[in-house]
Amino acid sequence: MTKITKNKNRLQLALVILIPSMAMGMAWIMYFSGVWIPEGRTNKGELLLPPAQFSALHLRDGKKSVDATETEGLWRVVVFGSTRCEESACVESLYKTRQVHIALGKESDRVTRFYIAPEKPAPSSELETEHPGIYWLNADKSHVQTALGLKHWPDNRIFIIDPLGNLIMGYRVDQSGGDLLNDLKKLLKASNIG
């Protein structure tokens, strides 16, 4: 084999490796920098880019701080609402998360639910009975708004938090529970953690 043939073969091999690597690298940079996010994605919720940190919410149970690592390793579904959760939109958001949790079947052990209000929640006994196992917590408005990059408290909105503590996806109040369920099923299926 001549020296020219060897160099030609090396160049071809380098191109075979380099071209796909460059294409994947560019796609990754464009997607995660927000320059280009394809319309054909399958998630129904809004991706939070960059994701907020669960610990940045500074959760409390009344005046007592809550350790965010207590539920580490689990997927968390969070509803942000009012202190009493009496309005229909608040009750509906809680209902959606409960129905989704039940619909997950055997996978429901991998998911826990949170209800977070600006002050210590005071749910009715009826709500507490309807939503066993939910964490009723409070967080300072400014911490939540800063973490989520919002100007207002996210009333009755639902968010998904991954097992590593990243708030990764949010849902509008008018979205169906089916959107949340489909996204959670995909995340649980694809996840090696939680």
mmCIF file of all heavy atoms in Angstrom, residues 124-175:
data_model
loop_
_atom_site.group_PDB
_atom_site.id
_atom_site.type_symbol
_atom_site.label_atom_id
_atom_site.label_comp_id
_atom_site.label_asym_id
_atom_site.label_seq_id
_atom_site.Cartn_x
_atom_site.Cartn_y
_atom_site.Cartn_z
ATOM 1 N N SER A 124 -59.003 21.517 53.963
ATOM 2 C CA SER A 124 -60.151 20.984 54.692
ATOM 3 C C SER A 124 -59.902 19.506 54.983
ATOM 4 O O SER A 124 -59.080 18.858 54.329
ATOM 5 C CB SER A 124 -61.419 21.133 53.841
ATOM 6 O OG SER A 124 -61.318 20.323 52.682
ATOM 7 N N SER A 125 -60.614 18.968 55.953
ATOM 8 C CA SER A 125 -60.460 17.552 56.284
ATOM 9 C C SER A 125 -60.858 16.688 55.086
ATOM 10 O O SER A 125 -60.299 15.618 54.860
ATOM 11 C CB SER A 125 -61.275 17.190 57.517
ATOM 12 O OG SER A 125 -62.633 17.504 57.313
ATOM 13 N N GLU A 126 -61.791 17.189 54.289
ATOM 14 C CA GLU A 126 -62.217 16.472 53.084
ATOM 15 C C GLU A 126 -61.056 16.353 52.090
ATOM 16 O O GLU A 126 -60.800 15.283 51.535
ATOM 17 C CB GLU A 126 -63.398 17.201 52.438
ATOM 18 C CG GLU A 126 -63.959 16.509 51.226
ATOM 19 C CD GLU A 126 -65.123 17.286 50.613
ATOM 20 O OE1 GLU A 126 -65.799 18.055 51.325
ATOM 21 O OE2 GLU A 126 -65.323 17.111 49.402
ATOM 22 N N LEU A 127 -60.334 17.478 51.877
ATOM 23 C CA LEU A 127 -59.183 17.444 50.968
ATOM 24 C C LEU A 127 -58.090 16.523 51.503
ATOM 25 O O LEU A 127 -57.483 15.776 50.731
ATOM 26 C CB LEU A 127 -58.607 18.846 50.777
ATOM 27 C CG LEU A 127 -59.164 19.689 49.641
ATOM 28 C CD1 LEU A 127 -58.447 21.036 49.577
ATOM 29 C CD2 LEU A 127 -59.086 18.998 48.301
ATOM 30 N N GLU A 128 -57.824 16.573 52.790
ATOM 31 C CA GLU A 128 -56.798 15.704 53.369
ATOM 32 C C GLU A 128 -57.157 14.240 53.187
ATOM 33 O O GLU A 128 -56.297 13.404 52.907
ATOM 34 C CB GLU A 128 -56.589 16.033 54.847
ATOM 35 C CG GLU A 128 -55.814 17.310 55.064
ATOM 36 C CD GLU A 128 -55.475 17.541 56.518
ATOM 37 O OE1 GLU A 128 -56.318 17.258 57.385
ATOM 38 O OE2 GLU A 128 -54.354 18.015 56.773
ATOM 39 N N THR A 129 -58.445 13.910 53.330
ATOM 40 C CA THR A 129 -58.909 12.533 53.159
ATOM 41 C C THR A 129 -58.788 12.101 51.704
ATOM 42 O O THR A 129 -58.398 10.971 51.404
ATOM 43 C CB THR A 129 -60.380 12.392 53.623
ATOM 44 O OG1 THR A 129 -60.467 12.805 54.985
ATOM 45 C CG2 THR A 129 -60.873 10.972 53.484
ATOM 46 N N GLU A 130 -59.119 13.007 50.774
ATOM 47 C CA GLU A 130 -59.074 12.687 49.349
ATOM 48 C C GLU A 130 -57.655 12.565 48.814
ATOM 49 O O GLU A 130 -57.447 11.976 47.754
ATOM 50 C CB GLU A 130 -59.816 13.769 48.547
ATOM 51 C CG GLU A 130 -61.308 13.746 48.727
ATOM 52 C CD GLU A 130 -61.996 14.901 48.013
ATOM 53 O OE1 GLU A 130 -61.299 15.719 47.353
ATOM 54 O OE2 GLU A 130 -63.221 14.982 48.117
ATOM 55 N N HIS A 131 -56.682 13.143 49.524
ATOM 56 C CA HIS A 131 -55.305 13.165 49.024
ATOM 57 C C HIS A 131 -54.325 12.615 50.068
ATOM 58 O O HIS A 131 -53.471 13.349 50.576
ATOM 59 C CB HIS A 131 -54.917 14.587 48.612
ATOM 60 C CG HIS A 131 -55.804 15.139 47.548
ATOM 61 N ND1 HIS A 131 -55.649 14.827 46.217
ATOM 62 C CD2 HIS A 131 -56.885 15.959 47.611
ATOM 63 C CE1 HIS A 131 -56.580 15.435 45.504
ATOM 64 N NE2 HIS A 131 -57.343 16.120 46.327
ATOM 65 N N PRO A 132 -54.433 11.317 50.359
ATOM 66 C CA PRO A 132 -53.506 10.737 51.336
ATOM 67 C C PRO A 132 -52.076 10.707 50.786
ATOM 68 O O PRO A 132 -51.861 10.565 49.590
ATOM 69 C CB PRO A 132 -54.050 9.311 51.522
ATOM 70 C CG PRO A 132 -54.777 9.018 50.249
ATOM 71 C CD PRO A 132 -55.331 10.330 49.788
ATOM 72 N N GLY A 133 -51.128 10.899 51.667
ATOM 73 C CA GLY A 133 -49.725 10.803 51.286
ATOM 74 C C GLY A 133 -49.135 12.042 50.651
ATOM 75 O O GLY A 133 -47.945 12.073 50.345
ATOM 76 N N ILE A 134 -49.931 13.079 50.442
ATOM 77 C CA ILE A 134 -49.408 14.302 49.830
ATOM 78 C C ILE A 134 -48.692 15.128 50.898
ATOM 79 O O ILE A 134 -49.051 15.097 52.078
ATOM 80 C CB ILE A 134 -50.550 15.119 49.163
ATOM 81 C CG1 ILE A 134 -49.984 16.185 48.221
ATOM 82 C CG2 ILE A 134 -51.466 15.729 50.190
ATOM 83 C CD1 ILE A 134 -51.028 16.829 47.324
ATOM 84 N N TYR A 135 -47.650 15.825 50.509
ATOM 85 C CA TYR A 135 -46.936 16.724 51.415
ATOM 86 C C TYR A 135 -47.583 18.102 51.317
ATOM 87 O O TYR A 135 -47.610 18.698 50.250
ATOM 88 C CB TYR A 135 -45.457 16.833 51.031
ATOM 89 C CG TYR A 135 -44.648 15.597 51.294
ATOM 90 C CD1 TYR A 135 -44.622 14.547 50.378
ATOM 91 C CD2 TYR A 135 -43.897 15.469 52.458
ATOM 92 C CE1 TYR A 135 -43.869 13.410 50.615
ATOM 93 C CE2 TYR A 135 -43.135 14.333 52.707
ATOM 94 C CZ TYR A 135 -43.125 13.308 51.777
ATOM 95 O OH TYR A 135 -42.378 12.182 52.018
ATOM 96 N N TRP A 136 -48.101 18.628 52.433
ATOM 97 C CA TRP A 136 -48.720 19.961 52.482
ATOM 98 C C TRP A 136 -47.676 20.918 53.027
ATOM 99 O O TRP A 136 -47.419 20.935 54.234
ATOM 100 C CB TRP A 136 -49.957 19.948 53.379
ATOM 101 C CG TRP A 136 -51.027 19.001 52.942
ATOM 102 C CD1 TRP A 136 -51.231 17.732 53.398
ATOM 103 C CD2 TRP A 136 -52.056 19.244 51.980
ATOM 104 N NE1 TRP A 136 -52.305 17.163 52.770
ATOM 105 C CE2 TRP A 136 -52.842 18.075 51.885
ATOM 106 C CE3 TRP A 136 -52.378 20.333 51.163
ATOM 107 C CZ2 TRP A 136 -53.927 17.964 51.027
ATOM 108 C CZ3 TRP A 136 -53.461 20.224 50.314
ATOM 109 C CH2 TRP A 136 -54.224 19.053 50.246
ATOM 110 N N LEU A 137 -47.040 21.701 52.164
ATOM 111 C CA LEU A 137 -45.920 22.544 52.579
ATOM 112 C C LEU A 137 -46.116 23.992 52.138
ATOM 113 O O LEU A 137 -47.019 24.304 51.379
ATOM 114 C CB LEU A 137 -44.617 22.004 51.986
ATOM 115 C CG LEU A 137 -44.274 20.560 52.360
ATOM 116 C CD1 LEU A 137 -43.068 20.077 51.577
ATOM 117 C CD2 LEU A 137 -44.045 20.415 53.852
ATOM 118 N N ASN A 138 -45.251 24.851 52.633
ATOM 119 C CA ASN A 138 -45.284 26.249 52.229
ATOM 120 C C ASN A 138 -43.885 26.701 51.825
ATOM 121 O O ASN A 138 -42.885 26.077 52.191
ATOM 122 C CB ASN A 138 -45.859 27.157 53.329
ATOM 123 C CG ASN A 138 -45.150 27.023 54.649
ATOM 124 O OD1 ASN A 138 -45.164 25.967 55.268
ATOM 125 N ND2 ASN A 138 -44.537 28.101 55.108
ATOM 126 N N ALA A 139 -43.854 27.767 51.024
ATOM 127 C CA ALA A 139 -42.593 28.342 50.563
ATOM 128 C C ALA A 139 -42.800 29.832 50.356
ATOM 129 O O ALA A 139 -43.895 30.272 50.018
ATOM 130 C CB ALA A 139 -42.155 27.683 49.258
ATOM 131 N N ASP A 140 -41.744 30.573 50.573
ATOM 132 C CA ASP A 140 -41.786 32.013 50.371
ATOM 133 C C ASP A 140 -42.021 32.319 48.888
ATOM 134 O O ASP A 140 -41.374 31.725 48.015
ATOM 135 C CB ASP A 140 -40.467 32.623 50.841
ATOM 136 C CG ASP A 140 -40.472 34.127 50.739
ATOM 137 O OD1 ASP A 140 -41.152 34.766 51.553
ATOM 138 O OD2 ASP A 140 -39.806 34.645 49.816
ATOM 139 N N LYS A 141 -42.937 33.237 48.616
ATOM 140 C CA LYS A 141 -43.263 33.580 47.229
ATOM 141 C C LYS A 141 -42.030 33.972 46.420
ATOM 142 O O LYS A 141 -41.861 33.551 45.282
ATOM 143 C CB LYS A 141 -44.275 34.735 47.184
ATOM 144 C CG LYS A 141 -45.678 34.328 47.436
ATOM 145 C CD LYS A 141 -46.606 35.528 47.251
ATOM 146 C CE LYS A 141 -48.056 35.109 47.436
ATOM 147 N NZ LYS A 141 -48.989 36.201 47.139
ATOM 148 N N SER A 142 -41.187 34.793 47.014
ATOM 149 C CA SER A 142 -40.028 35.292 46.256
ATOM 150 C C SER A 142 -39.082 34.166 45.851
ATOM 151 O O SER A 142 -38.530 34.173 44.751
ATOM 152 C CB SER A 142 -39.281 36.369 47.042
ATOM 153 O OG SER A 142 -38.758 35.840 48.237
ATOM 154 N N HIS A 143 -38.884 33.172 46.738
ATOM 155 C CA HIS A 143 -38.009 32.039 46.401
ATOM 156 C C HIS A 143 -38.597 31.252 45.231
ATOM 157 O O HIS A 143 -37.871 30.870 44.305
ATOM 158 C CB HIS A 143 -37.829 31.106 47.600
ATOM 159 C CG HIS A 143 -36.962 31.660 48.680
ATOM 160 N ND1 HIS A 143 -35.654 32.035 48.484
ATOM 161 C CD2 HIS A 143 -37.223 31.898 49.989
ATOM 162 C CE1 HIS A 143 -35.141 32.485 49.607
ATOM 163 N NE2 HIS A 143 -36.077 32.424 50.543
ATOM 164 N N VAL A 144 -39.891 30.992 45.265
ATOM 165 C CA VAL A 144 -40.551 30.222 44.205
ATOM 166 C C VAL A 144 -40.491 30.979 42.884
ATOM 167 O O VAL A 144 -40.123 30.428 41.845
ATOM 168 C CB VAL A 144 -42.010 29.889 44.592
ATOM 169 C CG1 VAL A 144 -42.773 29.307 43.417
ATOM 170 C CG2 VAL A 144 -42.041 28.944 45.787
ATOM 171 N N GLN A 145 -40.852 32.251 42.920
ATOM 172 C CA GLN A 145 -40.873 33.049 41.694
ATOM 173 C C GLN A 145 -39.477 33.178 41.091
ATOM 174 O O GLN A 145 -39.304 33.092 39.882
ATOM 175 C CB GLN A 145 -41.484 34.427 41.967
ATOM 176 C CG GLN A 145 -42.970 34.353 42.244
ATOM 177 C CD GLN A 145 -43.565 35.629 42.824
ATOM 178 O OE1 GLN A 145 -44.589 35.580 43.449
ATOM 179 N NE2 GLN A 145 -42.927 36.770 42.622
ATOM 180 N N THR A 146 -38.459 33.356 41.939
ATOM 181 C CA THR A 146 -37.083 33.448 41.445
ATOM 182 C C THR A 146 -36.638 32.124 40.845
ATOM 183 O O THR A 146 -36.067 32.090 39.756
ATOM 184 C CB THR A 146 -36.121 33.861 42.587
ATOM 185 O OG1 THR A 146 -36.538 35.128 43.095
ATOM 186 C CG2 THR A 146 -34.696 33.941 42.101
ATOM 187 N N ALA A 147 -36.901 31.018 41.556
ATOM 188 C CA ALA A 147 -36.492 29.693 41.069
ATOM 189 C C ALA A 147 -37.131 29.365 39.723
ATOM 190 O O ALA A 147 -36.485 28.801 38.838
ATOM 191 C CB ALA A 147 -36.848 28.622 42.097
ATOM 192 N N LEU A 148 -38.403 29.735 39.564
ATOM 193 C CA LEU A 148 -39.125 29.398 38.331
ATOM 194 C C LEU A 148 -39.036 30.493 37.270
ATOM 195 O O LEU A 148 -39.536 30.315 36.152
ATOM 196 C CB LEU A 148 -40.599 29.112 38.649
ATOM 197 C CG LEU A 148 -40.865 27.912 39.553
ATOM 198 C CD1 LEU A 148 -42.344 27.800 39.873
ATOM 199 C CD2 LEU A 148 -40.356 26.632 38.907
ATOM 200 N N GLY A 149 -38.433 31.620 37.611
ATOM 201 C CA GLY A 149 -38.318 32.717 36.662
ATOM 202 C C GLY A 149 -39.665 33.351 36.336
ATOM 203 O O GLY A 149 -39.915 33.750 35.198
ATOM 204 N N LEU A 150 -40.546 33.447 37.343
ATOM 205 C CA LEU A 150 -41.891 33.994 37.152
ATOM 206 C C LEU A 150 -42.046 35.309 37.908
ATOM 207 O O LEU A 150 -41.366 35.537 38.910
ATOM 208 C CB LEU A 150 -42.951 33.003 37.638
ATOM 209 C CG LEU A 150 -42.974 31.637 36.957
ATOM 210 C CD1 LEU A 150 -43.947 30.716 37.665
ATOM 211 C CD2 LEU A 150 -43.339 31.776 35.489
ATOM 212 N N LYS A 151 -42.984 36.133 37.461
ATOM 213 C CA LYS A 151 -43.276 37.395 38.146
ATOM 214 C C LYS A 151 -44.392 37.249 39.162
ATOM 215 O O LYS A 151 -44.571 38.105 40.019
ATOM 216 C CB LYS A 151 -43.647 38.467 37.122
ATOM 217 C CG LYS A 151 -42.501 38.862 36.231
ATOM 218 C CD LYS A 151 -42.887 39.924 35.250
ATOM 219 C CE LYS A 151 -41.697 40.254 34.357
ATOM 220 N NZ LYS A 151 -42.013 41.255 33.354
ATOM 221 N N HIS A 152 -45.176 36.153 39.050
ATOM 222 C CA HIS A 152 -46.306 35.923 39.950
ATOM 223 C C HIS A 152 -46.254 34.501 40.503
ATOM 224 O O HIS A 152 -45.624 33.622 39.917
ATOM 225 C CB HIS A 152 -47.635 36.123 39.208
ATOM 226 C CG HIS A 152 -47.765 37.460 38.549
ATOM 227 N ND1 HIS A 152 -47.978 38.612 39.266
ATOM 228 C CD2 HIS A 152 -47.679 37.839 37.260
ATOM 229 C CE1 HIS A 152 -48.035 39.638 38.439
ATOM 230 N NE2 HIS A 152 -47.848 39.200 37.208
ATOM 231 N N TRP A 153 -46.948 34.300 41.606
ATOM 232 C CA TRP A 153 -47.088 32.960 42.178
ATOM 233 C C TRP A 153 -47.772 32.060 41.138
ATOM 234 O O TRP A 153 -48.757 32.464 40.523
ATOM 235 C CB TRP A 153 -47.926 33.050 43.457
ATOM 236 C CG TRP A 153 -48.119 31.743 44.146
ATOM 237 C CD1 TRP A 153 -49.222 30.947 44.098
ATOM 238 C CD2 TRP A 153 -47.185 31.073 44.994
ATOM 239 N NE1 TRP A 153 -49.031 29.828 44.852
ATOM 240 C CE2 TRP A 153 -47.788 29.868 45.422
ATOM 241 C CE3 TRP A 153 -45.895 31.356 45.429
ATOM 242 C CZ2 TRP A 153 -47.154 28.964 46.267
ATOM 243 C CZ3 TRP A 153 -45.264 30.457 46.258
ATOM 244 C CH2 TRP A 153 -45.891 29.286 46.678
ATOM 245 N N PRO A 154 -47.267 30.858 40.912
ATOM 246 C CA PRO A 154 -47.823 29.985 39.867
ATOM 247 C C PRO A 154 -49.124 29.292 40.302
ATOM 248 O O PRO A 154 -49.203 28.056 40.367
ATOM 249 C CB PRO A 154 -46.699 28.981 39.616
ATOM 250 C CG PRO A 154 -45.966 28.915 40.919
ATOM 251 C CD PRO A 154 -46.068 30.296 41.519
ATOM 252 N N ASP A 155 -50.148 30.072 40.598
ATOM 253 C CA ASP A 155 -51.420 29.555 41.114
ATOM 254 C C ASP A 155 -51.951 28.365 40.332
ATOM 255 O O ASP A 155 -52.168 28.455 39.124
ATOM 256 C CB ASP A 155 -52.492 30.658 41.088
ATOM 257 C CG ASP A 155 -52.658 31.302 42.447
ATOM 258 O OD1 ASP A 155 -52.437 30.627 43.463
ATOM 259 O OD2 ASP A 155 -52.993 32.495 42.480
ATOM 260 N N ASN A 156 -52.131 27.259 41.039
ATOM 261 C CA ASN A 156 -52.779 26.044 40.536
ATOM 262 C C ASN A 156 -52.032 25.367 39.393
ATOM 263 O O ASN A 156 -52.573 24.482 38.743
ATOM 264 C CB ASN A 156 -54.223 26.336 40.120
ATOM 265 C CG ASN A 156 -54.964 27.059 41.221
ATOM 266 O OD1 ASN A 156 -54.867 26.693 42.383
ATOM 267 N ND2 ASN A 156 -55.670 28.126 40.880
ATOM 268 N N ARG A 157 -50.795 25.770 39.155
ATOM 269 C CA ARG A 157 -49.992 25.118 38.123
ATOM 270 C C ARG A 157 -49.332 23.872 38.687
ATOM 271 O O ARG A 157 -49.063 23.770 39.886
ATOM 272 C CB ARG A 157 -48.939 26.069 37.566
ATOM 273 C CG ARG A 157 -49.559 27.154 36.704
ATOM 274 C CD ARG A 157 -48.582 27.890 35.854
ATOM 275 N NE ARG A 157 -47.785 27.002 35.006
ATOM 276 C CZ ARG A 157 -46.635 27.367 34.442
ATOM 277 N NH1 ARG A 157 -46.160 28.573 34.636
ATOM 278 N NH2 ARG A 157 -45.955 26.529 33.676
ATOM 279 N N ILE A 158 -49.083 22.935 37.811
ATOM 280 C CA ILE A 158 -48.476 21.652 38.167
ATOM 281 C C ILE A 158 -47.085 21.588 37.540
ATOM 282 O O ILE A 158 -46.899 21.999 36.397
ATOM 283 C CB ILE A 158 -49.359 20.490 37.660
ATOM 284 C CG1 ILE A 158 -50.746 20.571 38.295
ATOM 285 C CG2 ILE A 158 -48.695 19.144 37.936
ATOM 286 C CD1 ILE A 158 -51.772 19.617 37.691
ATOM 287 N N PHE A 159 -46.132 21.042 38.302
ATOM 288 C CA PHE A 159 -44.761 20.885 37.816
ATOM 289 C C PHE A 159 -44.268 19.479 38.126
ATOM 290 O O PHE A 159 -44.705 18.858 39.098
ATOM 291 C CB PHE A 159 -43.824 21.897 38.488
ATOM 292 C CG PHE A 159 -44.061 23.317 38.052
ATOM 293 C CD1 PHE A 159 -45.047 24.077 38.652
ATOM 294 C CD2 PHE A 159 -43.309 23.883 37.039
ATOM 295 C CE1 PHE A 159 -45.285 25.380 38.255
ATOM 296 C CE2 PHE A 159 -43.534 25.190 36.630
ATOM 297 C CZ PHE A 159 -44.522 25.942 37.239
ATOM 298 N N ILE A 160 -43.340 19.006 37.312
ATOM 299 C CA ILE A 160 -42.674 17.719 37.553
ATOM 300 C C ILE A 160 -41.244 18.004 37.983
ATOM 301 O O ILE A 160 -40.553 18.830 37.382
ATOM 302 C CB ILE A 160 -42.650 16.840 36.282
ATOM 303 C CG1 ILE A 160 -44.064 16.425 35.884
ATOM 304 C CG2 ILE A 160 -41.785 15.593 36.501
ATOM 305 C CD1 ILE A 160 -44.129 15.618 34.591
ATOM 306 N N ILE A 161 -40.816 17.281 39.026
ATOM 307 C CA ILE A 161 -39.437 17.378 39.520
ATOM 308 C C ILE A 161 -38.807 15.998 39.383
ATOM 309 O O ILE A 161 -39.397 14.999 39.807
ATOM 310 C CB ILE A 161 -39.414 17.827 40.994
ATOM 311 C CG1 ILE A 161 -40.094 19.191 41.135
ATOM 312 C CG2 ILE A 161 -37.988 17.869 41.520
ATOM 313 C CD1 ILE A 161 -40.284 19.645 42.557
ATOM 314 N N ASP A 162 -37.620 15.932 38.791
ATOM 315 C CA ASP A 162 -36.968 14.638 38.593
ATOM 316 C C ASP A 162 -36.328 14.155 39.897
ATOM 317 O O ASP A 162 -36.254 14.899 40.885
ATOM 318 C CB ASP A 162 -35.974 14.699 37.427
ATOM 319 C CG ASP A 162 -34.704 15.493 37.725
ATOM 320 O OD1 ASP A 162 -34.414 15.795 38.904
ATOM 321 O OD2 ASP A 162 -33.988 15.812 36.765
ATOM 322 N N PRO A 163 -35.864 12.900 39.941
ATOM 323 C CA PRO A 163 -35.279 12.351 41.173
ATOM 324 C C PRO A 163 -34.019 13.067 41.652
ATOM 325 O O PRO A 163 -33.612 12.904 42.799
ATOM 326 C CB PRO A 163 -34.962 10.897 40.795
ATOM 327 C CG PRO A 163 -35.909 10.585 39.691
ATOM 328 C CD PRO A 163 -36.050 11.855 38.919
ATOM 329 N N LEU A 164 -33.392 13.862 40.782
ATOM 330 C CA LEU A 164 -32.197 14.610 41.180
ATOM 331 C C LEU A 164 -32.525 15.995 41.714
ATOM 332 O O LEU A 164 -31.638 16.761 42.078
ATOM 333 C CB LEU A 164 -31.234 14.722 39.994
ATOM 334 C CG LEU A 164 -30.748 13.382 39.427
ATOM 335 C CD1 LEU A 164 -29.899 13.604 38.190
ATOM 336 C CD2 LEU A 164 -29.990 12.602 40.480
ATOM 337 N N GLY A 165 -33.818 16.346 41.739
ATOM 338 C CA GLY A 165 -34.230 17.630 42.298
ATOM 339 C C GLY A 165 -34.318 18.764 41.299
ATOM 340 O O GLY A 165 -34.266 19.926 41.676
ATOM 341 N N ASN A 166 -34.462 18.445 40.019
ATOM 342 C CA ASN A 166 -34.602 19.470 38.984
ATOM 343 C C ASN A 166 -36.069 19.640 38.603
ATOM 344 O O ASN A 166 -36.733 18.654 38.258
ATOM 345 C CB ASN A 166 -33.826 19.077 37.719
ATOM 346 C CG ASN A 166 -32.357 18.902 37.981
ATOM 347 O OD1 ASN A 166 -31.700 19.810 38.455
ATOM 348 N ND2 ASN A 166 -31.847 17.727 37.689
ATOM 349 N N LEU A 167 -36.579 20.862 38.674
ATOM 350 C CA LEU A 167 -37.914 21.142 38.152
ATOM 351 C C LEU A 167 -37.770 21.194 36.646
ATOM 352 O O LEU A 167 -37.163 22.117 36.108
ATOM 353 C CB LEU A 167 -38.446 22.480 38.679
ATOM 354 C CG LEU A 167 -39.005 22.435 40.101
ATOM 355 C CD1 LEU A 167 -38.007 22.977 41.080
ATOM 356 C CD2 LEU A 167 -40.281 23.223 40.157
ATOM 357 N N ILE A 168 -38.310 20.191 35.964
ATOM 358 C CA ILE A 168 -38.020 20.049 34.543
ATOM 359 C C ILE A 168 -39.182 20.397 33.624
ATOM 360 O O ILE A 168 -38.968 20.711 32.462
ATOM 361 C CB ILE A 168 -37.535 18.621 34.218
ATOM 362 C CG1 ILE A 168 -38.577 17.576 34.635
ATOM 363 C CG2 ILE A 168 -36.196 18.356 34.856
ATOM 364 C CD1 ILE A 168 -38.280 16.183 34.136
ATOM 365 N N MET A 169 -40.413 20.336 34.142
ATOM 366 C CA MET A 169 -41.547 20.553 33.258
ATOM 367 C C MET A 169 -42.712 21.169 34.018
ATOM 368 O O MET A 169 -42.954 20.828 35.168
ATOM 369 C CB MET A 169 -41.970 19.203 32.663
ATOM 370 C CG MET A 169 -42.687 19.300 31.355
ATOM 371 S SD MET A 169 -42.916 17.681 30.576
ATOM 372 C CE MET A 169 -41.245 17.177 30.226
ATOM 373 N N GLY A 170 -43.414 22.094 33.366
ATOM 374 C CA GLY A 170 -44.571 22.739 33.967
ATOM 375 C C GLY A 170 -45.788 22.621 33.065
ATOM 376 O O GLY A 170 -45.670 22.455 31.850
ATOM 377 N N TYR A 171 -46.967 22.712 33.674
ATOM 378 C CA TYR A 171 -48.240 22.566 32.953
ATOM 379 C C TYR A 171 -49.139 23.756 33.242
ATOM 380 O O TYR A 171 -49.224 24.219 34.380
ATOM 381 C CB TYR A 171 -48.945 21.266 33.374
ATOM 382 C CG TYR A 171 -48.125 20.062 33.010
ATOM 383 C CD1 TYR A 171 -47.105 19.625 33.850
ATOM 384 C CD2 TYR A 171 -48.316 19.406 31.808
ATOM 385 C CE1 TYR A 171 -46.304 18.550 33.499
ATOM 386 C CE2 TYR A 171 -47.534 18.329 31.448
ATOM 387 C CZ TYR A 171 -46.522 17.905 32.296
ATOM 388 O OH TYR A 171 -45.725 16.850 31.937
ATOM 389 N N ARG A 172 -49.817 24.219 32.201
ATOM 390 C CA ARG A 172 -50.791 25.300 32.370
ATOM 391 C C ARG A 172 -51.985 24.767 33.161
ATOM 392 O O ARG A 172 -52.269 23.568 33.170
ATOM 393 C CB ARG A 172 -51.277 25.791 30.997
ATOM 394 C CG ARG A 172 -50.200 26.418 30.138
ATOM 395 C CD ARG A 172 -50.787 26.928 28.816
ATOM 396 N NE ARG A 172 -51.785 26.048 28.235
ATOM 397 C CZ ARG A 172 -51.524 25.008 27.427
ATOM 398 N NH1 ARG A 172 -50.282 24.717 27.116
ATOM 399 N NH2 ARG A 172 -52.510 24.277 26.936
ATOM 400 N N VAL A 173 -52.714 25.664 33.771
ATOM 401 C CA VAL A 173 -53.881 25.284 34.571
ATOM 402 C C VAL A 173 -54.930 24.574 33.714
ATOM 403 O O VAL A 173 -55.573 23.630 34.165
ATOM 404 C CB VAL A 173 -54.495 26.532 35.260
ATOM 405 C CG1 VAL A 173 -55.746 26.175 36.026
ATOM 406 C CG2 VAL A 173 -53.476 27.180 36.185
ATOM 407 N N ASP A 174 -55.075 24.985 32.457
ATOM 408 C CA ASP A 174 -56.120 24.422 31.599
ATOM 409 C C ASP A 174 -55.718 23.124 30.901
ATOM 410 O O ASP A 174 -56.501 22.538 30.166
ATOM 411 C CB ASP A 174 -56.566 25.449 30.556
ATOM 412 C CG ASP A 174 -55.439 25.870 29.617
ATOM 413 O OD1 ASP A 174 -54.264 25.564 29.909
ATOM 414 O OD2 ASP A 174 -55.741 26.502 28.588
ATOM 415 N N GLN A 175 -54.499 22.623 31.146
ATOM 416 C CA GLN A 175 -54.093 21.371 30.516
ATOM 417 C C GLN A 175 -54.743 20.185 31.202
ATOM 418 O O GLN A 175 -54.992 20.198 32.413
ATOM 419 C CB GLN A 175 -52.567 21.213 30.545
ATOM 420 C CG GLN A 175 -51.891 21.990 29.440
ATOM 421 C CD GLN A 175 -50.412 21.705 29.369
ATOM 422 O OE1 GLN A 175 -49.631 22.407 30.009
ATOM 423 N NE2 GLN A 175 -50.020 20.710 28.595
#
